[in-house]
């Protein structure tokens, strides 16, 4: 509100207002161009950011452009300066991201300073905390006017341009503030929502043009991941056959390791394959894979989150999920999918048992559906490409805590990883998650059972120990009782799959999230733990039902 009032006062003269708006529109269009340029080498620069630079003359003409082609090559700024030559003096340089001049290398900033650039417009600051602000300070110390979008200049059009800058470097921004890589779920489905015929045959649903787009997506990813069943059904290659350098690692998730002896993925002559499996699964087959040069990684708990955390630690920034609906559902439920890309082909295959792109999520009403954000529609040959985000790209304003700092605040959940559902007052939309919600629970007390009018009433009885681990256990048992007693509450809890739950208490820094996210949010964490316990149970009971049938 304060900001709106301020800009009203500044814009009270129509002349100033028009000039400022024109100026902002020009800045926004050049920043967008820098972001587009930076994306030309997406995948090749990893693990470095995508950098683009446009140098414009005072009359608004492009004098030079450049983008970082690959890790270790000449910086975008230096390329743009070279291209602009003498037009650099007094020009404005547009950068989608603050340069990350690191390890004593100041090539990008030096190029701009020495060329006599007068003003620099920066889309976003560098997302890594140790580099953040350094180049901006350096440029300012040389007398260059530096405007950072959202900080020094603000308007709707600039905000949209800033968003483009966040999107082109989404994988790196996620890396800076989360413990899993940026994950994109891609699938091709028929108009009647099938990803294969009832027989499992799926080649091909989407057109050749769409599949070429998939090769590009692979080329921009550090790894492509599928489930064991897709290997058995499709024998995929998962290579980026778009003729441009980078080919992602192939990852297979298989609990059983009941996989074929002959498979395209076991040919690692061009690119490597890693099989992620349950500890102890089919040791003889593991030896066989190793003899083929396939790396096998065993997990105590083979689930998407554990696997993603592992690959994050190995430095993977972006993962393309090309699995079927079974693994896709598991990945969405565990909150590791950030973006969805769906190719919809104008074909109908029918079949009540034909697989669909996302399996069981435990939702029962349309109000529980996950809504995509920033949705885009594009026609690709005969197909329609629909894409959107399941979780927003974390914003860099005001500050993203470093990975370590985040971990200290809350070792189990990172509020930047997914959309956040806040609850606090019992009359809020998710107010029933509050301990004060009027849902009586019946719990053991001494040798008997007693009823308390809410979780909070039970928790406050004097038998609780002040020690954290005991009080957490007491709370968990009470919550479990509450959500098991009231099925509609359980359904509501399951409907939040993929979202971070935060008790928005400004005062309680143990159970709540605090005013500015400084709280430990133990209530939110316990609810998420309970939710994953229920989700685990529902997938086991679904398996048992299908076995019984
Ligand atoms: N049109 C399209 O875009 C696509 C279509 N398809 C089609 O989909 C069908 C296969 O679908 P689907 O069976 O869902 O295949 P998935 O790729 O989802 O594979 C499921 C398998 O993943 C493994 N897995 C490991 N961990 C988990 C976990 N935590 N949760 C779930 N699964 C896990 C298991 O392998 P294991 O049994 O080995 O333990 C499981 O059986 C095929 O017909 C294929 O052609 C597949 C991909 C894309
Ligand atoms: N059927 C289908 C897709 N299927 C996906 O592509 C994989 C095969 O890749 P490859 O062996 O490299 O050609 C397959 O296992 C599955 O993950 N993709 C699409 O874009 N459109 C389609 O119609």
């Amino acid at each position: 509100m304060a900001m709106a009032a301020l800009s009203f006062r500044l814009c009270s003269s129509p002349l100033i207002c028009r000039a400022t708006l024109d100026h902002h529109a020009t800045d926004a269009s050049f920043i967008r161009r820098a972001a587009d340029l930076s994306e030309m080498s997406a995948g090749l620069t990893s693990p470095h950011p995508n950098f683009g630079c446009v140098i414009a003359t005072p009359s608004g003409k492009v004098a030079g452009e450049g983008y970082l082609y690959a890790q270790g090559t000449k910086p975008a700024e230096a390329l743009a300066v070279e291209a602009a030559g003498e037009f650099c003096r007094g020009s404005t340089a547009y950068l989608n991201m603050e340069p990350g001049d690191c390890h004593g290398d100041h090539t990008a900033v030096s190029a701009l300073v020495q060329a006599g650039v007068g003003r620099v417009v920066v889309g976003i600051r560098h997302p890594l905390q140790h580099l953040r602000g350094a180049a901006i300070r350096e440029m300012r110390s040389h007398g260059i006017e530096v405007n950072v979008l959202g900080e020094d200049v603000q308007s709707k059009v600039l905000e949209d341009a800033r968003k483009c800058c966040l999107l082109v470097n989404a994988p790196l921004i996620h890396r800076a503030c989360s413990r899993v890589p940026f994950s994109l779920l891609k699938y091709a489905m028929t108009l009647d929502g099938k990803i294969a015929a009832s027989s499992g045959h799926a080649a091909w649903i989407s057109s050749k043009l769409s599949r070429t787009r998939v090769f590009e997506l692979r080329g921009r990813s550090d790894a492509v991941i599928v489930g064991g069943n897709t290997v058995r059904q499709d024998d995929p290659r998962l290579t980026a056959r778009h003729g441009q350098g980078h080919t992602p690692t192939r990852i297979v998730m298989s609990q059983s390791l009941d996989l074929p002896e002959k498979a395209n993925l076991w040919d690692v002559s061009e690119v490597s394959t890693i099989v992620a499996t349950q500890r102890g699964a089919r040791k003889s087959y593991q030896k066989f894979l190793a003899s083929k040069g396939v790396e096998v990684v065993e997990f105590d708990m083979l689930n998407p989150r554990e696997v993603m955390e592992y690959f994050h630690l190995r430095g993977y920034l972006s993962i393309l999920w090309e699995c079927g609906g079974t693994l896709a559902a598991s990945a969405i439920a565990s909150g590791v999918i950030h973006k969805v890309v769906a190719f919809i082909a104008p074909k109908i295959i029918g079949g009540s048992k034909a697989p669909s792109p996302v399996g069981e999520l435990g939702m029962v009403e349309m109000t529980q559906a996950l809504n995509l954000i920033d949705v885009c529609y594009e026609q690709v040959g005969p197909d329609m490409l629909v894409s959107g985000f399941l979780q927003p790209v974390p914003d860099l304003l005001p500050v993203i805590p470093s990975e370590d700092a985040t971990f200290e605040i809350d070792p189990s959940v990172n509020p930047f990883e997914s959309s956040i559902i806040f609850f606090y007052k019992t009359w809020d939309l998710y107010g029933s998650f509050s301990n004060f919600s009027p849902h009586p629970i019946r719990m053991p007390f001494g040798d008997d059972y007693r009823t308390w009018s809410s979780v909070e009433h039970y928790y406050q009885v004097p038998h609780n120990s002040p020690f954290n681990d005991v009080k957490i256990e007491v709370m968990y048992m009470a919550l479990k009782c509450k959500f098991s007693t009231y099925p509609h509450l359980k359904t509501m809890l399951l409907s939040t799959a993929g979202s971070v739950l935060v008790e928005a208490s400004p005062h309680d820094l143990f159970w709540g999230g605090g005013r500015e996210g400084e709280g430990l949010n133990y209530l939110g964490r316990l609810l998420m733990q309970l939710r994953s316990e229920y989700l685990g149970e529902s997938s086991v009971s679904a398996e048992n039902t299908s076995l019984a049938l």
Side-chain angles (χ1 to χ4, degrees):
M1 270 329 247
M3 189 58 70
L6 180 66
S7 34
F8 177 74
R9 256 184 272 125
L10 284 176
C11 287
S12 53
S13 151
L15 278 175
I16 295 173
C17 192
R18 170 69 55 84
T20 307
L21 289 180
D22 286 351
H23 206 56
H24 284 187
T26 308
D27 282 356
S29 92
F30 283 131
I31 281 288
R32 278 171 180 275
R33 173 70 189 150
D36 287 349
L37 278 171
S38 78
E39 223 192 357
M40 313 256 285
S41 55
L44 296 174
T45 49
S46 179
H48 290 278
N50 301 315
F51 286 113
C53 174
V54 176
I55 292 184
T57 62
S59 62
K61 297 232 160 26
V62 173
E65 294 182 335
Y67 64 91
L68 180 69
Y69 180 68
Q71 182 186 345
T73 60
K74 205 176 252 191
E77 295 78 1
L79 290 170
V81 161
E82 271 175 23
E86 64 195 42
F87 292 106
C88 284
R89 199 145 294 280
S91 66
T92 299
Y94 294 89
L95 320 181
N96 63 307
M97 181 185 280
E98 172 185 17
D101 283 6
C102 53
H103 310 303
D105 171 14
H106 296 276
T107 323
V109 170
S110 301
L112 297 172
V113 172
Q114 280 163 21
V117 167
R119 177 175 173 245
V120 173
V121 181
V122 174
I124 54 172
R125 285 175 181 259
H126 201 289
L128 301 183
Q129 217 170 33
H130 65 287
L131 297 174
R132 219 162 163 220
I136 291 171
R137 276 194 300 278
E138 172 88 9
M139 290 188 286
R140 284 181 175 148
S141 75
H142 283 95
I144 297 180
E145 177 193 349
V146 182
N147 295 156
V148 182
L149 300 196
E151 295 179 25
D152 308 305
V153 277
Q154 288 158 345
S155 67
K156 169 81 177 72
V157 70
L158 290 175
E159 187 49 32
D160 291 346
R162 198 174 76 84
K163 203 162 178 185
C164 294
C165 300
L166 288 168
L167 291 182
V168 288
N169 273 302
L172 189 86
I173 292 168
H174 272 275
R175 175 159 185 84
C177 61
S178 99
R179 297 199 307 278
V180 293
F182 179 73
S183 274
L184 193 156
L185 168 66
K186 163 258 144 188
Y187 53 81
M189 71 173 196
T190 60
L191 200 53
D192 55 334
K194 315 291 185 192
I195 57 163
S198 317
S199 62
H201 188 256
W204 298 106
I205 292 168
S206 57
S207 65
K208 201 163 177 209
L209 207 57
S210 297
R211 288 182 347 254
T212 307
R213 291 288 288 272
V214 174
F215 296 150
E216 284 168 22
L217 285 175
R218 289 178 185 171
R220 288 159 179 243
S221 310
D222 292 336
V224 180
I225 189 162
V226 291
N229 212 22
T230 295
V231 178
R232 288 188 285 270
Q233 292 282 352
D234 294 356
D235 188 16
R237 285 188 278 166
L238 304 180
T239 45
R241 308 189 277 282
H242 64 318
Q244 279 177 31
H246 175 70
T247 310
T249 302
R250 287 97 46 106
I251 302 172
V252 177
M253 273 179 72
S254 169
Q255 273 138 348
S256 65
L257 276 195
D258 184 12
L259 299 169
E261 299 262 312
K262 267 183 79 104
N264 285 319
L265 293 181
W266 310 159
D267 174 1
V268 293
S269 53
E270 266 182 55
V271 59
S272 57
T273 301
I274 301 175
V275 173
T277 190
Q278 193 68 43
R279 187 168 305 291
R282 287 190 75 195
K283 284 287 180 191
S284 57
Y285 190 79
Q286 289 197 27
K287 275 204 189 117
F288 159 77
L289 286 177
S291 73
K292 292 279 188 185
V294 174
E295 185 183 344
V296 179
V297 181
E298 291 182 297
F299 287 80
D300 291 331
M301 292 275 283
L302 185 73
N303 60 48
R305 181 156 288 275
E306 296 285 325
V307 172
M308 286 301 98
E309 286 182 2
Y310 170 81
F311 281 102
H312 179 261
L313 286 176
R314 272 180 75 155
Y316 287 65
L317 250 57
S318 57
I319 308 278
L320 180 65
W321 292 70
E322 287 206 60
C323 50
T326 315
L327 186 54
S330 182
I332 290 175
S334 49
V336 301
I337 301 293
H338 303 100
K339 188 176 181 186
V340 178
V341 173
F343 291 90
I344 304 165
K347 297 178 183 176
I348 290 182
I349 188 75
S352 56
K353 294 225 165 67
S356 63
V358 181
E360 188 53 57
L361 282 179
M363 298 184 188
V364 290
E365 286 183 10
M366 276 321 290
T367 47
Q368 300 169 334
L370 304 171
N371 287 312
L372 298 193
I373 37 186
D374 290 332
V375 180
C376 292
Y377 306 87
E378 186 192 344
Q379 188 170 345
V380 183
D383 306 326
M384 185 54 82
L385 172 55
V386 180
S387 62
F389 287 79
L390 270 183
Q391 305 173 27
V393 177
D395 204 332
L396 286 164
L397 293 176
V399 168
I400 291 179
S402 70
E403 207 178 329
D404 289 347
T406 308
F407 192 76
E408 271 168 33
I409 294 166
D410 183 343
S412 64
V413 179
N414 172 352
F416 291 100
E417 272 174 18
S418 39
S419 61
I420 304 177
I421 292 177
F422 292 102
F423 62 93
Y424 183 38
K425 299 288 183 197
T426 52
W427 52 85
D428 289 343
L429 187 58
Y430 290 92
S432 312
F433 292 173
S434 159
N435 282 350
F436 290 92
S437 81
H439 293 95
I441 54 168
R442 194 164 167 72
M443 294 289 289
F445 190 69
D447 297 336
D448 205 345
Y449 276 81
R450 251 208 216 166
T451 300
W452 279 270
S453 1
S454 72
V455 168
E456 187 65 17
H457 285 81
Y458 171 73
Y459 177 75
Q460 291 299 344
V461 297
H463 63 220
N464 294 323
S465 154
F467 296 113
N468 280 353
D469 51 353
V470 177
K471 73 181 191 186
I472 289 170
E473 206 174 299
V474 166
M475 181 66 90
Y476 192 64
M477 294 319 294
L479 290 173
K480 201 166 175 176
C481 175
K482 170 178 166 182
F483 285 83
S484 309
T485 310
Y486 302 95
H488 67 286
L489 294 190
K490 184 173 172 183
T491 306
M492 186 189 249
L493 183 62
L494 286 172
S495 77
T496 64
S499 297
V500 174
L501 302 179
V502 177
E503 193 203 15
S505 165
H507 316 293
D508 186 341
L509 297 188
F510 183 80
W511 295 112
R515 200 177 291 277
E516 314 242 14
E518 75 276 34
L520 291 170
N521 187 33
Y522 264 95
L523 181 56
R525 289 198 225 181
L526 290 186
L527 288 171
M528 289 183 273
Q529 190 181 325
L530 186 58
R531 180 179 68 192
S532 67
E533 198 180 308
Y534 285 145
L535 279 170
E537 275 172 21
S538 67
S539 65
V540 170
S541 66
E543 265 173 44
N544 289 344
T545 317
S546 59
L547 281 177
L549 290 171

